[in-house]
Amino acid sequence: MLKLHFINVGDGDAALVEDWGPDGRVFRLLVDAGRRDVGVLPGSCRLTAAAYLRRHAVARLDALVVTHLHEDHFGGLGDLLGAVEIGAVYAGFFPRLPAGRIPRKGGEEKTVAGLIDCLNCWAAYAEALAASGVRSCEVWDTERLVRTADLEAVLICPDPVAAALQRRTWAALLAGEPVNGDKRWWSSKYRNPGSLRLALRCAGRRVEIAGDCYGAVWEHEAEPCGILKVPHHGDAKSMTPLLARRLRPSHAVISCSAAYNPRKDRPSAAAAALLEAEGARVWYTDSFSRPGQAPACWESVDFTILGDGTILAPDSREGGGRTI
């Protein structure tokens, strides 16, 4: 039996995967860790990933996947280190230790300034992971993360060649080596399209947890799935008509803030419409509401996949992840 918890971390991503074996053992995998600070919003049940795990008495994660280095996906890792035991962390880049820090000179272009802040934070986290004895597993290409009697989990790297160039650029920056402006800018902008994706197979069902990987990047290779974690918070870049047709999910979860962002068209009504046209039911982790809908208050949007492949959605389970 597979349980999926798409945690309401506000404007960010965190998903807990639990594989419940017939012997009662549970393999737990967290995909992304949300932000360090999710803020407070009236009518929202958002909380940090660490707070969610504490509330549900999760003391150990067998693995944690960081899909890419944006703060809304890995910022909450610092609090997790003090809250749970972690077996291994998988990510597309780890710095050499001891890691340097990149100085901010002022005047950097916005995306480059954000990259510097993220790399410096990630370097500190990498040192903390090593000090805690957590295995750091750098993902260079598509690889199987785990295979149990019931579950297969595969990490998908969209472009290994581009990912290698990005790693070399970041390693040089942290080592204080000169890197030209074009490479800095590209290595920052490639974080989303280069995001790792996680594909799960359980009881004949496929689950896609797509990080922030833009729809156009993987539309030609997508396979039908039962449950989709929509990439990039369901914005205009998250979905293409071809991707929606190839995926045809029964359920699509958009991890997003309750507040619509018009500049980014996040979450996008057009993206949701593409999925619904292919038969998907669309869920939102935070208390976002579309016209004519009442907002929900979730701590997490939860699904269960039974041994016969039946998918239990939130409203078909008692409690169902909804906080009343």
Side-chain angles (χ1 to χ4, degrees):
M1 179 173 64
L2 191 68
K3 294 186 178 183
L4 303 165
H5 311 259
F6 297 97
I7 304 168
N8 176 7
V9 291
D11 184 21
D13 263 32
L16 177 64
V17 179
E18 296 183 308
D19 176 31
W20 291 70
D23 58 358
R25 296 184 182 180
V26 186
F27 174 87
R28 289 188 172 93
L29 163 67
L30 187 69
V31 186
D32 287 328
R35 297 179 183 272
R36 178 182 287 273
D37 181 7
V38 300
V40 177
L41 182 71
S44 170
C45 296
R46 62 176 63 169
L47 72 176
T48 65
Y52 182 86
L53 296 181
R54 283 194 298 268
R55 187 167 295 184
H56 293 273
V58 175
R60 174 179 167 80
L61 296 171
D62 295 279
L64 166 66
V65 170
V66 174
T67 60
H68 65 294
L69 295 189
H70 272 135
E71 199 274 340
D72 60 327
H73 289 252
F74 81 90
L77 174 56
D79 291 335
L80 284 175
L81 282 170
V84 296
E85 178 187 352
I86 302 173
V89 175
Y90 294 79
F93 170 73
F94 285 95
R96 300 187 192 95
L97 300 180
R101 300 295 189 270
I102 307 167
R104 284 280 296 274
K105 299 177 181 178
E108 289 96 349
E109 193 269 341
K110 181 181 177 182
T111 190
V112 172
L115 172 65
I116 291 171
D117 291 343
C118 282
L119 285 177
N120 286 339
C121 180
W122 184 242
Y125 284 174
E127 290 169 344
L129 289 169
S132 300
V134 179
R135 287 191 300 122
S136 295
C137 305
E138 195 169 73
V139 180
W140 290 8
D141 202 342
T142 294
E143 65 177 71
R144 180 182 292 153
L145 188 150
V146 66
R147 185 169 189 172
T148 68
D150 304 310
L151 173 68
E152 182 181 43
V154 176
L155 274 172
I156 300 169
C157 176
D159 186 338
V161 174
L165 176 58
Q166 187 183 61
R167 281 196 302 275
R168 290 195 296 270
T169 301
W170 290 351
L173 286 169
L174 285 167
E177 299 171 7
V179 176
N180 71 48
D182 287 344
K183 278 190 176 179
R184 287 186 183 219
W185 185 88
W186 171 83
S187 73
S188 176
K189 298 300 286 186
Y190 186 67
R191 282 179 289 177
N192 283 339
S195 171
L196 298 174
R197 306 191 331 263
L198 184 70
L200 308 173
R201 290 188 184 275
C202 177
R205 295 287 192 172
R206 184 178 175 94
V207 178
E208 287 276 0
I209 302 178
D212 273 359
C213 192
Y214 298 151
V217 172
W218 58 297
E219 61 181 2
H220 292 287
E221 65 188 66
E223 300 178 33
C225 65
I227 300 170
L228 167 70
K229 199 293 295 183
V230 181
H232 209 224
H233 316 284
D235 77 352
K237 296 178 181 178
S238 68
M239 194 55 48
T240 68
L242 176 58
L243 181 60
R245 286 198 303 272
R246 291 184 67 95
L247 289 170
R248 302 194 307 277
S250 300
H251 300 276
V253 180
I254 295 178
S255 186
C256 64
S257 175
Y260 172 70
N261 185 328
R263 182 175 66 84
K264 298 182 178 181
D265 188 16
R266 175 187 295 178
S268 168
L274 286 173
L275 290 160
E276 288 171 336
E278 299 298 331
R281 182 170 180 184
V282 177
W283 306 81
Y284 299 89
T285 53
D286 208 347
S287 52
F288 174 79
S289 60
R290 291 158 64 179
Q293 290 183 339
C297 185
W298 309 100
E299 281 188 359
S300 61
V301 179
D302 297 344
F303 296 86
T304 299
I305 300 179
L306 301 179
D308 62 0
T310 299
I311 296 176
L312 301 182
D315 55 3
S316 63
R317 300 171 62 236
E318 184 178 354
R322 185 186 295 270
T323 300
I324 305 297

